[in-house]
Amino acid sequence: MHNPLAQLALFLHPWYRRMASTPDTAYKGIRATAGRMWQSNNKSKDEVIALLAEMDKYRLGSTPFLGIMSDSGLDSLRSYWNSIQYTAAGSGAPLQLPALAMIVHDVKPHAADPEKTFSLVGFFHTSRRNSLLHSTTTATTTIKMHHTRKSGSMTPKPVRETQAILQREEDLQNMQELEIAEAVIQEAQRTDAIDDCSVRRCARTRCAHPSRGAVHQ
């Protein structure tokens, strides 16, 4: 089991906590996952430290984690953690571990990651081409992943649609700004041409030019 969240979920089931936390290296990874998850939930440093201390007690079956479960079902699991939180409610600060356990066990299990991997590898490893070396399959899959990410096709469809809408709006705004700039330039050129003609006419006729506010003698 290489999914850190799945390891944490198994550990937070009282029937499997000893199996999930053996050996010690596995338990260290579980503690690290729980600490990062609790910190990402805007918990303070003291709350994270309290969570890790409660995990140590829970692993050993110490107080207040002494309850038993009647069966392995989710309803019994919720009752277990709710009973622990209720029991410890009058002893001071609320416990951190029951709250984390309820969040973790509310996550719906799925097989999206392996299904995605099978789909990607199946692009090369087909029923007719099934004797590829492991190194060859890994190399070709890595290359395909690189070009897929580079092309942006891995971006979720709603995100791509939003990006396309924003890009069209930006292009439209740029075109409008360009049209306004061109109109300003054309108007400036027309005004300059009129002024040049007026100056040349004034020079020939030696008349007063109202736009200049000067009198040519």
Side-chain angles (χ1 to χ4, degrees), residues 21-202:
S21 59
T22 304
D24 290 341
T25 52
Y27 178 59
K28 290 180 180 178
I30 292 172
R31 288 179 91 250
T33 300
R36 288 193 298 269
M37 183 176 179
W38 213 225
Q39 188 175 15
S40 66
N41 276 267
N42 298 322
K43 300 298 182 179
S44 65
K45 181 179 179 181
D46 292 339
E47 289 174 322
V48 174
I49 294 174
L51 170 71
L52 299 180
E54 292 170 16
M55 290 181 67
D56 295 338
K57 293 181 180 180
Y58 168 73
R59 185 191 185 195
L60 298 174
S62 303
T63 306
F65 307 102
L66 299 175
I68 59 174
M69 292 176 55
S70 58
D71 57 65
S72 60
L74 183 60
D75 291 338
S76 180
L77 185 61
R78 290 180 180 276
S79 300
Y80 171 81
W81 288 110
N82 284 330
S83 64
I84 290 178
Q85 190 68 282
Y86 178 78
T87 302
S91 61
L95 296 177
Q96 305 295 318
L97 190 57
L100 174 65
M102 298 302 291
I103 293 175
V104 171
H105 288 297
D106 278 341
V107 176
K108 302 299 181 183
H110 60 82
D113 289 343
E115 290 294 338
K116 187 176 181 179
T117 302
F118 292 150
S119 175
L120 179 62
V121 176
F123 186 82
F124 303 100
H125 203 284
T126 64
S127 58
R128 295 176 62 87
R129 185 175 56 189
N130 55 12
S131 299
L132 294 174
L133 295 175
H134 178 268
S135 58
T136 303
T137 304
T138 302
T140 52
T141 303
T142 302
I143 294 172
K144 184 177 186 301
M145 287 289 293
H146 168 74
H147 289 289
T148 302
R149 288 195 179 99
K150 189 175 181 180
S151 64
S153 58
M154 291 187 67
T155 305
K157 184 177 179 180
V159 177
R160 294 199 306 270
E161 292 176 348
T162 302
Q163 291 175 343
I165 293 173
L166 294 176
Q167 185 63 45
R168 287 196 297 270
E169 291 179 352
E170 182 179 355
D171 293 341
L172 179 61
Q173 183 178 359
N174 291 337
M175 290 179 60
Q176 292 175 344
E177 292 177 352
L178 181 60
E179 292 175 355
I180 293 173
E182 290 178 346
V184 171
I185 293 173
Q186 292 175 359
E187 178 64 22
Q189 291 175 344
R190 189 177 67 84
T191 302
D192 290 343
I194 293 175
D195 289 346
D196 290 341
C197 291
S198 299
V199 170
R200 287 195 295 271
R201 186 166 56 252
C202 290

